[in-house]
Amino acid sequence: MTVLPADLDVGFELPELSEQHITRTLLVRFAGASGDHNPIHLDPGAARSVGLDDVIAHGMLSMGLLGRLLTAWVPVGDLLSFRVRFSAPTPVHARLRCTARVRAIEPHGAGRRARLSLAVRIVDGPLTVRGEALIRLPEPPPAPVRADREGARA
Amino acid sequence: MIDPSWVGAGPKPFTVEVEAGRLRLFNQVLGVREAVFTDPAAARAAGHPDLPVPPTFLFGLELEHPSGQLAELGIDLGQVLHVEQGFVYHRTAHAGERLTFAPVVTDIYTRQGGALEFVVRDTAVTGAGGEPVADLHQVIAVRHGVRDEEGA
């Protein structure tokens, strides 16, 4: 895991994941891994029966990719909350961009936390997921001790 | 339509084990490569008792349990759209743990003249000692004869 910069500030963007290609194979594998066997992700006939052109990706696949982006930068134990809203379907063969940006830094108990805006977009297409995560930040580095202070000489 | 008397109630709580092999598969499919999630020795070196559960893993443990699909409410999975999902974390869960899920339907409402029915479910996940691990929040939309909608 990489670490966030100590001077993390509002506007910082976590380095993006590479573009994620949503293949049929990935949807089948994710169904097995996640336990979500809804046929609209697996069976084109089932997808067409509810008015779709073809299968669509699991919403939780996109959320899982956002989770992967977060935990590449943040220790999983520092993740306080994580929520998303799915706003558009992700068709099979889409390529996804997953992004996370620091929107605010706030007090949290004795320390601080960062509020991140999260998004998943189809390359050359719409935003499909919008969300937010709260992460506990490590203590900021201690302020430099002034050399002329009494206590610093001992 | 879904029986509104479900609000405030839910399927019976259930307990499932977090299997290490399942975690590995989940991480492999999502492309998670950090050693802390894939190698128990690296997890322990980072202060975990065993492989930690990645942020969205608990959703699947709930969904694949018979009580997790809301079938008791008469919902047809093929007509379900996932609208929102949230997690609040109280502590990290780990491989080998037995976790108890207690789902409660907290709201049911309709939109678009009844064509879409929304079901909100909140699930408290606790560890073996009854201590809070995570809270899951889910909103699904059930389509009643609607063809072209938002959601995934």
Side-chain angles (χ1 to χ4, degrees):
Chain A
M1 193 185 70
T2 327
V3 290
L4 291 170
D7 58 349
L8 183 74
D9 212 343
V10 172
F12 179 82
E13 303 243 3
L14 269 60
E16 275 185 41
L17 298 182
S18 57
E19 277 180 18
Q20 302 292 307
H21 186 200
I22 305 301
T23 61
R24 285 182 205 280
T25 305
L26 177 60
L27 297 183
V28 171
R29 294 179 71 218
F30 187 74
S34 71
D36 184 346
H37 297 281
N38 188 330
I40 67 168
H41 307 305
L42 304 170
D43 174 0
R48 282 192 291 269
S49 77
V50 295
L52 298 163
D53 294 332
D54 200 341
V55 295
I56 60 171
H58 310 73
M60 291 307 288
L61 173 55
S62 292
M63 193 178 193
L65 292 169
L66 284 172
R68 172 182 150 198
L69 172 62
L70 291 170
T71 54
W73 290 88
V74 180
V76 66
D78 286 343
L79 190 56
L80 301 168
S81 67
F82 179 18
R83 62 189 170 89
V84 301
R85 183 174 173 83
F86 304 105
S87 52
T90 301
V92 65
H93 306 311
R95 289 182 183 274
L96 300 181
R97 286 184 57 204
C98 303
T99 57
R101 178 177 179 276
V102 177
R103 195 173 84 225
I105 293 180
E106 309 164 349
H108 177 65
R112 300 177 309 151
R113 69 184 185 191
R115 188 175 293 270
L116 273 61
S117 292
L118 311 172
V120 181
R121 291 179 177 77
I122 297 176
V123 174
D124 301 321
L127 184 91
T128 55
V129 181
R130 194 191 303 272
E132 183 179 89
L134 286 172
I135 58 173
R136 185 188 296 117
L137 293 177
E139 293 301 309
V145 176
R146 286 172 54 184
D148 60 353
R149 269 178 54 199
E150 285 298 316
R153 285 192 190 145
Chain B
M1 303 301 280
I2 300 159
D3 180 356
S5 71
W6 274 103
V7 174
K12 284 202 182 85
F14 56 92
T15 300
V16 290
E17 184 178 336
V18 178
E19 295 169 13
R22 194 63 188 278
L23 287 178
R24 286 203 185 85
L25 176 64
F26 187 83
N27 287 322
Q28 200 176 53
V29 172
L30 284 176
V32 173
R33 290 182 194 90
E34 284 76 24
V36 70
F37 288 106
T38 59
D39 174 4
R44 281 189 286 271
H48 295 284
D50 204 325
L51 293 176
V53 164
T56 62
F57 183 79
L58 296 178
F59 172 85
L61 289 188
E62 178 171 36
L63 181 74
E64 73 178 352
H65 189 275
S67 294
Q69 299 196 355
L70 298 176
E72 290 171 52
L73 278 67
I75 294 172
D76 170 7
L77 190 62
Q79 299 299 325
V80 168
L81 297 166
H82 199 175
V83 178
E84 283 180 39
Q85 183 66 40
F87 300 84
V88 173
Y89 306 100
H90 302 292
R91 71 159 171 83
T92 307
H94 295 95
E97 275 199 77
R98 289 179 65 78
L99 300 175
T100 298
F101 291 70
V104 177
V105 176
T106 45
D107 201 5
I108 298 175
Y109 56 92
T110 57
R111 289 286 183 272
Q112 299 180 13
L116 276 181
E117 193 163 25
F118 290 77
V119 180
V120 184
R121 178 178 63 188
D122 287 279
T123 302
V125 181
T126 50
E131 78 286 4
V133 172
D135 299 315
L136 277 58
H137 175 75
Q138 182 193 59
V139 182
I140 58 170
V142 184
R143 310 201 262 198
H144 297 295
V146 175
R147 294 258 142 185
D148 203 9
E149 289 311 324
E150 286 191 343

